[in-house]
Amino acid sequence: MLKIGVTGNIGSGKTTICSIFEQFGWVVYNSDEKAKWLMNNNDVLKKQIIRLLGKDSYQSTGQLNRPYIAKKVFNDKELLKKLNHIVHPAVKDDFNKWCIEKKNWKYLVKESALIYEAQLHNELDVVVVVATNIEITINRIIKRDGLTRSQVLQKLNTQLPIEEKMKLADYVIINENQKDFLKNTLEVYRNIKLNYD
């Protein structure tokens, strides 16, 4: 079993890379989606979030009040760090359980924007960083999420600079034009297979 991390800053194309890896027959764990699910469904985690951020963290339906939480942590790095310290261990436990369930698969992929920030790279065999020019990243997120430029920059400032992630990576995929992006992805896939089969 080989555990492969796919990371990069928001808007870099991590999910696209992972969907390609899935087409190649690898199985993918999406940390962001799982974190959202756990925050809505894990009772212990919900209590911890309410204790940290208040009862308005959840709507009357019991679902996470995302706009409220985003507003609370957006300009408060210390509060965001505390929230991450609650959520990351829950996601880590869930990922470990998922790995046990997928024990018959040879290649397991963990998609996460915060592999280095949360020190998750120590538990992975290989880390692939998806990198994009900062202006391309900003424009993608503005278009995708309807945010302002300053909001995008604030989000990016909570993550390790992409240049630092690239230095730490085992493999880097540049995602700036489709032709080179697909070629680079295929090269990384082949290299991993060659080195670990």
Side-chain angles (χ1 to χ4, degrees):
M1 179 189 291
L2 189 77
K3 295 177 184 175
I4 304 159
V6 173
T7 193
N9 290 347
I10 52 169
S12 61
K14 298 180 298 296
T15 304
T16 305
I17 295 278
C18 287
S19 67
I20 293 169
F21 285 160
E22 278 185 311
Q23 288 171 37
F24 290 152
W26 296 356
V27 61
V28 175
Y29 179 96
N30 184 313
S31 296
D32 292 343
E33 291 302 315
K34 277 294 187 175
K36 287 172 195 167
W37 188 89
L38 289 166
M39 289 166 85
N40 276 314
N41 295 282
N42 183 309
D43 289 337
V44 174
L45 187 57
K46 285 172 89 166
K47 283 175 187 170
Q48 289 176 320
I49 290 167
I50 290 166
R51 200 175 301 131
L52 177 68
L53 301 174
K55 59 180 175 48
D56 289 336
S57 301
Y58 288 86
Q59 298 165 359
S60 57
T61 58
Q63 292 298 290
L64 196 67
N65 187 346
R66 290 173 60 78
Y68 170 81
I69 289 176
K71 193 175 178 184
K72 288 278 282 186
V73 303
F74 204 68
N75 292 311
D76 191 332
K77 282 190 176 181
E78 201 52 44
L79 198 57
L80 178 61
K81 192 189 276 187
K82 286 177 182 175
L83 179 62
N84 285 337
H85 278 308
I86 292 169
V87 177
H88 288 165
V91 176
K92 181 180 171 181
D93 288 346
D94 190 68
F95 175 69
N96 289 336
K97 287 174 191 167
W98 180 83
C99 287
I100 293 165
E101 289 168 13
K102 304 294 181 188
K103 63 185 179 193
N104 294 327
W105 292 75
K106 178 152 188 190
Y107 295 95
L108 304 183
V109 179
K110 181 173 192 173
E111 178 188 345
S112 172
L114 303 173
I115 281 176
Y116 292 115
E117 292 86 342
Q119 303 296 308
L120 302 173
H121 58 289
N122 299 319
E123 302 154 24
L124 301 165
D125 301 301
V126 177
V127 177
V128 178
V129 166
V130 189
T132 308
N133 169 284
I134 187 73
E135 286 304 318
I136 292 174
T137 300
I138 291 166
N139 290 330
R140 276 185 191 159
I141 302 164
I142 288 170
K143 191 175 176 183
R144 185 189 74 189
D145 298 344
L147 301 176
T148 65
R149 184 182 177 86
S150 63
Q151 286 174 321
V152 174
L153 288 170
Q154 277 182 298
K155 280 196 166 206
L156 286 168
N157 285 337
T158 66
Q159 300 181 345
L160 196 65
I162 195 64
E163 295 79 13
E164 294 300 313
K165 291 184 179 182
M166 288 167 75
K167 286 177 196 170
L168 295 166
D170 296 297
Y171 299 95
V172 175
I173 296 172
I174 305 295
N175 181 15
E176 292 179 1
N177 68 72
Q178 195 171 22
K179 185 184 171 188
D180 291 342
F181 165 67
L182 291 170
K183 184 183 166 194
N184 289 342
T185 304
L186 190 56
E187 279 174 7
V188 167
Y189 165 77
R190 284 175 176 156
N191 280 328
I192 292 172
K193 290 276 286 180
L194 192 66
N195 291 323
Y196 295 97
D197 257 355

